Amino acid sequence: MVEVTVTPQSSLADRPVQIRVRGLSPSQLVTLRAWLKDEQGERFQSRAFFRADGAGEVNPGLHAALGGSYSGVWPMGLFWFLQPDTLFRRLVKRDVAGSPFRVRLEVLDGLSLGADPREQPLASCGAERWYVSPGVQRVPIREGRVRGALFLPP
C-alpha cells in the first residue's frame, strides 16, 4: 500500500517539512503533485517526477527529481515551485493570521503531465502552511501615508 506523509503536517510557511513516499515498487516511476487553492479560489500546482529507490521509497530531500516543475534535489521544491493554472496570477496570502494554506500532496503512477484534478492518486495527504505562529498579535499601522502591520510575539 502506497503512503505519502508530510512531517510536520502543520507548520509555519518558512519552515521546512519532510515529504516521504513509501510502499512503491523498487525503481517505480511516480509523479509527486502538490496543489492548493488560494483565497480567491485560484488553483496553484507543482509536480516532480521521481524514480523510487531499492526500498520503494521517495524522499525529495535525498532523491533528485527527474523533471516536472523542477529537477534535482530540492527538499521543498513542491512548495517553492507552485504555479497558477491561470496565467498571470500570483500566490499571495491575504489573511495571514486567520487561516493557513492547505496544500494537498498526491502520488500519481508514472509520469503525469496532465493538469486534470480528477486523476486518481495512489496516495495523498494534506499539509497546513501557516504564516503567523499561535499567540502572535497583529496590530494594524496607519500613520499619515504609512500603512502596514506590526506582529508582536506572545
Side-chain angles (χ1 to χ4, degrees), residues 20-74:
R20 302 271 314 254
V21 180
R22 295 182 179 97
L24 299 167
S25 301
S27 300
Q28 181 178 351
L29 284 172
V30 293
T31 300
L32 288 183
R33 178 173 63 189
W35 64 272
L36 64 83
K37 286 192 177 181
D38 70 5
E39 293 155 331
Q40 280 73 45
E42 290 293 331
R43 183 179 159 100
F44 292 77
Q45 64 178 321
S46 63
R47 67 186 65 239
F49 311 130
F50 291 93
R51 183 177 300 279
D53 63 13
E57 296 185 1
V58 169
N59 180 343
L62 299 174
H63 303 126
L66 306 173
S69 301
Y70 66 95
S71 61
V73 178
W74 292 81

Side-chain angles (χ1 to χ4, degrees), residues 6-13 15-17 100-102 126-132 134:
V6 177
T7 309
Q9 194 170 1
S10 182
S11 63
L12 290 173
R15 300 283 191 249
V17 296
F101 271 141
R102 286 174 172 54
E128 292 182 342
R129 305 293 281 168
W130 289 89
Y131 283 77
V132 176

Side-chain angles (χ1 to χ4, degrees), residues 47-121:
R47 67 186 65 239
F49 311 130
F50 291 93
R51 183 177 300 279
D53 63 13
E57 296 185 1
V58 169
N59 180 343
L62 299 174
H63 303 126
L66 306 173
S69 301
Y70 66 95
S71 61
V73 178
W74 292 81
M76 296 294 295
L78 289 169
F79 294 93
W80 291 340
F81 292 98
L82 288 165
Q83 295 293 315
D85 283 356
T86 306
L87 292 176
F88 308 113
R89 298 289 185 169
R90 290 182 40 214
L91 184 59
V92 176
K93 183 70 172 142
R94 303 238 183 256
D95 180 16
V96 295
S99 65
F101 271 141
R102 286 174 172 54
V103 182
R104 194 85 191 142
L105 293 161
E106 298 172 337
V107 181
L108 303 164
D109 191 26
L111 304 179
S112 173
L113 297 172
D116 185 1
R118 295 172 302 212
E119 288 178 287
Q120 289 301 313

